Amino acid sequence: MALDKFGIARRIARELKDGMYVNLGIGIPTLVANYIPAGISIFLQSENGMLGMGPYPPEEEIDPDLINAGKETVTILPGGAFFDSAESFGMIRAGKVDLTVLGAMEVSENGDIANWKIPGKMVKGMGGAMDLVASARNIIVAMMHSNPKGESKLLDKCSLPLTGVGCVKKVVTELAVMDIEDGQFILRERAPGVTVEDIRSKTSGRLLVPGEVPEIVF
Amino acid sequence: MNKVYSNAMDALAGIANGSTIMLGGFGLCGIPENSIAALVKMGVNDLTCISNNAGVDDFGLGLLLKTRQIRKMISSYVGENEEFERQLLSGELEVDLVPQGTLATRIQMAGMGIPAFYTPAGYGTEIAEGKEVRDFNGKPHLMEYALHANFAIVKAWKGDSMGNLVFRKTTRNFSTSMARAGDITIAEVEELVQPGMLDPDQVHVPGIYVHRIFQGQQYEKRIERKTIKLASS
């Protein structure tokens, strides 16, 4: 059975290692924070100017001066720090943030990502996505395997305007976990009950299947 | 020397039709509410506004969009505003979208006296068109210019009559860099204090950058997305 968005988040959470500084994008990536493995601690970076971002506040602790990059009211954990936007992107650009998890409209077999603009539709802007993908040391994309029209989002070449080139290292969808290496998607894990053929038929870009591909087990 | 003004209208004197203005804030967090209201009242138009976002329909920069006072926006993300979308699609409004980190650093560099810099953000994308590309350590970078403004308007938590500013939590965002980048910088503060009442070790923006300061009134601090922890979780 394909994973739901919580399953995708839960699988990505396994990539977290003790002491990592992590930036989580809006949507499925935000859910990753709910599945941090026991026994490790990570620091969430919010690009509007905070390290050590905590959960949503109880009603009585809401503070309009304390929001995340998604403009949601949040909290800060003990040991956290505030800073300005220039410093925030300085730490991103300098490679201090270990892992970035973000959503995408399309990913190509060489690691290009498109997630900010659909020509002919309203353009809302790239926000911090272009800075993050250009500089993060490790980038994982969390997305559905196909778009609402049923077309594959894993392509040989992105058709939408790019956010960054050759930067995505791993993609986790409702069907599969794939690494991107040497200009191809490499199938590492399958969602429970999903066959290699299902995944192959829904992947437009080059897909390497290295022998036995284990199922994701939670 | 007097930097202290009694209200927003006085502090904003000199802003004219066609001015370029930086306005601090991220979403609606830390925006100069009093100054935006005063700009609406002044009726200045043909403005170029540099701000990470464009407010919402009835608050923040959305108020200046509604009155059609903005000719051009320089922002990284403008997705929360229907009037903005209408004006953009009809060609009434010009928009320059800049990656958020590039925007922050362009403003920061203006305040540091550095005319241009190189960043990898946007290489290989449509925002790279027409920009100088140069490799450093085997990685391509785009040249980006410092971004100046006739006026920078920021909102701080506390300030003193010398113009020193202290911010609270995530309201620092673009404001501390913008305060350094304006030809004339105007700060509105929740609490205006006498010199000596701010700890010099805690000052985020030294007074040298701030030309005018006033104590704001009746901050609404509207929340864009109220998210709360459920009792059960």
Side-chain angles (χ1 to χ4, degrees):
Chain A
M1 206 182 77
L3 303 177
D4 59 11
K5 61 183 182 176
F6 301 101
I8 294 172
R10 201 170 158 196
R11 173 60 190 81
I12 290 173
R14 289 187 180 167
E15 304 296 319
L16 303 173
K17 310 253 182 325
D18 192 39
M20 268 188 172
Y21 290 92
V22 181
N23 182 291
L24 300 176
I26 294 163
I28 298 174
T30 302
L31 299 172
V32 172
N34 298 332
Y35 300 99
I36 298 167
I40 74 165
S41 57
I42 64 156
F43 302 89
L44 293 179
Q45 200 258 15
S46 189
E47 67 266 26
N48 58 317
M50 171 175 30
L51 276 167
M53 180 168 62
Y56 298 141
E59 176 92 41
E60 63 278 12
E61 285 173 29
I62 282 181
D63 185 343
D65 289 343
L66 179 43
I67 64 166
N68 64 14
K71 286 124 189 168
E72 299 171 325
T73 48
V74 290
T75 54
I76 186 163
L77 297 173
F82 296 118
F83 35 86
D84 65 23
S85 300
E87 174 152 19
S88 181
F89 283 93
M91 63 182 73
I92 288 164
R93 222 180 276 122
K96 305 295 180 188
V97 175
D98 299 294
L99 173 65
T100 290
V101 183
L102 75 175
M105 297 171 187
E106 293 176 348
V107 173
S108 77
E109 62 195 22
N110 66 338
D112 294 352
I113 176 172
N115 72 351
W116 75 284
K117 181 175 183 179
I118 301 175
K121 288 205 176 172
M122 170 59 191
V123 180
K124 292 177 187 290
M126 67 292 279
M130 285 190 182
D131 310 272
L132 280 159
V133 301
S135 297
R137 282 192 280 142
N138 192 7
I139 298 169
I140 300 178
V141 165
M143 66 176 193
M144 304 310 279
H145 218 91
S146 306
N147 67 21
K149 287 188 208 156
E151 300 158 341
S152 180
K153 294 168 70 173
L154 296 130
L155 307 170
D156 57 341
K157 196 168 181 289
C158 292
S159 64
L160 294 169
L162 295 179
T163 308
V165 293
C167 51
V168 178
K169 303 284 199 300
K170 190 182 282 287
V171 182
V172 179
T173 73
E174 79 281 18
L175 303 179
V177 178
M178 290 147 292
D179 287 335
I180 296 179
E181 285 170 23
D182 304 323
Q184 55 192 351
F185 297 104
I186 302 175
L187 185 57
R188 296 297 185 195
E189 296 170 43
R190 298 174 287 128
V194 172
T195 66
V196 169
E197 280 321 301
D198 289 337
I199 296 163
R200 197 187 285 284
S201 70
K202 289 179 173 155
T203 305
S204 270
R206 272 201 293 170
L207 181 73
L208 179 77
V209 181
E212 281 299 294
V213 178
E215 278 191 1
I216 301 168
V217 182
F218 288 116
Chain B
M1 179 203 71
N2 177 38
K3 295 185 178 184
V4 178
Y5 288 70
S6 58
N7 58 56
M9 290 298 280
D10 289 349
L12 268 53
I15 296 182
N17 294 345
S19 289
T20 296
I21 310 176
M22 287 177 177
L23 298 110
F26 185 97
L28 300 178
C29 182
I31 59 172
E33 295 181 17
N34 280 238
S35 298
I36 292 169
L39 287 169
V40 172
K41 216 164 155 187
M42 287 164 73
V44 286
N45 51 41
D46 213 18
L47 301 172
T48 295
C49 289
I50 302 165
S51 186
N52 188 53
N53 311 94
V56 295
D57 278 321
D58 59 346
F59 201 59
L61 287 183
L63 296 171
L64 285 172
L65 285 165
K66 198 170 6 181
T67 51
R68 313 261 298 267
Q69 289 171 262
I70 302 177
R71 180 182 63 80
K72 182 179 179 179
M73 283 292 314
I74 301 176
S75 306
S76 85
Y77 189 82
V78 292
E80 319 299 340
N81 192 315
E82 280 181 33
E83 176 61 15
F84 183 99
E85 182 169 348
R86 191 197 65 72
Q87 290 184 22
L88 180 61
L89 295 174
S90 70
E92 296 163 59
L93 180 68
E94 191 185 334
V95 179
D96 185 5
L97 291 169
V98 180
Q100 196 171 121
T102 299
L103 181 64
T105 306
R106 288 181 65 191
I107 295 164
Q108 183 190 32
M109 290 303 113
M112 290 189 167
I114 294 176
F117 63 99
Y118 292 90
T119 175
Y123 171 76
T125 76
E126 65 182 41
I127 72 131
E129 283 165 23
K131 289 178 183 163
E132 180 192 326
V133 177
R134 189 162 160 188
D135 280 14
F136 293 95
N137 305 316
K139 189 170 172 172
H141 291 69
L142 303 180
M143 189 177 78
E144 297 281 358
Y145 290 100
L147 190 56
H148 297 263
N150 304 128
F151 296 88
I153 306 176
V154 302
K155 185 249 158 189
W157 179 36
K158 291 180 181 179
D160 67 18
S161 53
M162 315 298 278
N164 294 300
L165 303 178
V166 175
F167 291 76
R168 194 170 170 273
K169 302 191 178 181
T170 52
T171 65
R172 246 182 273 178
N173 52 59
F174 283 80
S175 298
T176 47
S177 295
M178 287 180 174
R180 292 161 163 91
D183 296 339
I184 294 176
T185 290
I186 302 156
E188 57 175 88
V189 296
E190 287 179 56
E191 193 184 344
L192 182 62
V193 301
Q194 290 305 308
M197 292 181 71
L198 298 178
D199 178 352
D201 272 333
Q202 306 298 326
V203 168
H204 295 123
V205 176
I208 190 170
Y209 299 110
V210 177
H211 305 88
R212 306 176 187 173
I213 190 165
F214 69 96
Q215 181 162 316
Q217 308 291 328
Q218 295 174 322
Y219 283 100
E220 177 179 340
K221 295 195 181 183
R222 192 182 296 187
I223 290 170
E224 207 160 329
R225 296 220 171 85
K226 180 172 152 182
T227 43
I228 55 169
K229 189 178 185 178
L230 300 173
S232 58
S233 64

